[in-house]
Amino acid sequence: MDIIGSWSRLAMKACLSLVLALTLALLPPTAGRTLTAVAADAGSKVVATWMWNTYEIWRDKEGTLNYLTQHGVNRVYLQADPDIPVDVYRTFIREAGERGIEVQALGGKPEWALPEGQDDLYKFIYWVKAYNNSSRSSERFNGIHLDVEPYVLPQWQYERDTIIGYWMDTVSGFVQEVKSDSYLTVGVDLPIWLQWFLVPDGKGDTTTLTDYIIGRVDEIALMAYIDNTPGILQAVSHELAEAEASGKPVVIGVETMDNGEANSSFYGLGQGAMYDTINAVASALWTHPAYGGVGIHEYDSWRFLGW
């Protein structure tokens, strides 16, 4: 038995293992932790991001498009900011479309749910329509996305039923006005707890507030702001069931901003943990009829999220 030879081979294996371990340690932290599972079938599932800082498409259009493309994004909810020249929108939307990225106009404030906020809501709708009507087909928004969160208003604490009624009327009026003379896809952002509120269904019975809104829009983005896979899957199950019954797709959104709420954001966990979670959620829900994809809130904070 060649004892010396055996020890030599063991020593060589140990050295190779050490070299491999050091090599792996020196690899960039992004290695193996990307949106691969989500972006693998971009033709049928949405990979979205919210972009509230519209100035970014003017300041660094090429860098923005490159980042979106590299990360498999195929939909952007872009805030409609009238202060940005329309030609900036036209160029960005056209070039985004060439990369397989659709752009929806984003707008919303909590006050838009109140009667006194309706003027601003309709100004948003009219601006998007006027822009589309004056632009070529390749330069148009193909959807309009509403983010109205009246539950952050002080009134929510002491006149909740009234605010919910206003919210329902706002969504119904929004959809009716958008659809009156356009083919824009209508979507809204929703939190993950609206099923606890029962509202009239218009047929002499009651339904959940979630179901009421889902039934009136084309799609929803569910703000599932939880930092782990089991929590997200549990939190979205009710909404997915209601959306399936209505035949509507659901985009499941995660948070990257520092919102100060425990276990709700990937701000302190980093991109790697977020991608792992998103991929696991996508794998678990891929065949669910109502699962439409994932979204990352929001573009600026995502880009600067650490690993």
Side-chain angles (χ1 to χ4, degrees), residues 12 149 153 155 172 189 199 202 219 228 241 245 249 254 268-269 289 292:
M12 184 176 293
E149 304 175 34
L153 295 171
Q155 298 95 309
S172 296
D189 291 335
V199 298
E219 57 191 25
N228 61 86
V254 297
L269 300 178

Side-chain angles (χ1 to χ4, degrees), residues 144-147 171 174 186-190 213 217 219-222:
I144 186 166
H145 197 84
L146 188 65
D147 181 28
V171 171
F174 173 72
V186 177
V188 297
D189 291 335
L190 293 180
I213 295 176
V217 299
E219 57 191 25
I220 67 167
L222 199 56

Side-chain angles (χ1 to χ4, degrees), residues 70-297:
Q70 291 164 6
H71 289 79
V73 172
N74 55 20
R75 176 183 293 176
V76 175
Y77 303 121
L78 177 66
Q79 185 179 28
D81 183 350
D83 293 333
I84 303 295
V86 292
D87 283 342
V88 173
Y89 286 104
R90 288 171 179 150
T91 302
F92 179 79
I93 293 174
R94 183 180 66 253
E95 295 187 13
E98 292 169 356
R99 297 174 181 236
I101 303 170
E102 68 173 45
V103 182
Q104 297 190 3
L106 170 66
K109 295 179 180 179
E111 296 80 7
W112 286 10
L114 303 177
E116 57 268 30
Q118 296 291 293
D119 284 349
D120 287 339
L121 168 64
Y122 285 91
K123 285 179 183 177
F124 165 55
I125 298 172
Y126 299 148
W127 185 92
V128 174
K129 287 185 175 182
Y131 167 85
N132 271 10
N133 289 338
S134 65
S135 303
R136 297 182 177 92
S137 59
S138 62
E139 301 167 341
R140 295 171 185 160
F141 294 104
N142 62 9
I144 186 166
H145 197 84
L146 188 65
D147 181 28
V148 172
E149 304 175 34
Y151 43 86
V152 304
L153 295 171
Q155 298 95 309
W156 182 264
Q157 302 303 321
Y158 55 86
E159 50 179 341
R160 186 168 301 169
D161 289 345
T162 300
I163 300 301
I164 288 175
Y166 288 153
W167 193 2
M168 294 165 63
D169 291 343
T170 296
V171 171
S172 296
F174 173 72
V175 175
Q176 183 176 356
E177 184 58 41
V178 172
K179 295 292 188 181
S180 64
D181 57 357
S182 82
Y183 296 99
L184 287 163
T185 297
V186 177
V188 297
D189 291 335
L190 293 180
I192 51 177
W193 40 262
L194 294 188
Q195 72 267 24
W196 302 113
F197 298 97
L198 295 180
V199 298
D201 65 356
K203 303 175 183 177
D205 205 346
T206 60
T207 188
T208 67
L209 181 53
T210 313
D211 186 54
Y212 176 90
I213 295 176
I214 289 174
R216 280 154 180 79
V217 299
D218 296 319
E219 57 191 25
I220 67 167
L222 199 56
M223 296 181 288
Y225 293 170
I226 300 172
D227 65 6
N228 61 86
T229 303
I232 292 175
L233 294 176
Q234 180 179 3
V236 303
S237 59
H238 187 92
E239 289 82 357
L240 285 171
E242 291 186 326
E244 180 181 358
S246 294
K248 306 295 176 64
V250 177
V251 172
I252 296 174
V254 297
E255 178 69 286
T256 63
M257 296 181 68
D258 183 9
N259 58 14
E261 299 177 11
N263 305 118
S264 66
S265 174
F266 288 94
Y267 175 79
L269 300 178
Q271 290 192 30
M274 180 179 71
Y275 294 160
D276 289 346
T277 299
I278 287 176
N279 289 332
V281 169
S283 297
L285 297 177
W286 200 266
T287 59
H288 194 292
Y291 173 69
V294 298
I296 298 174
H297 187 271

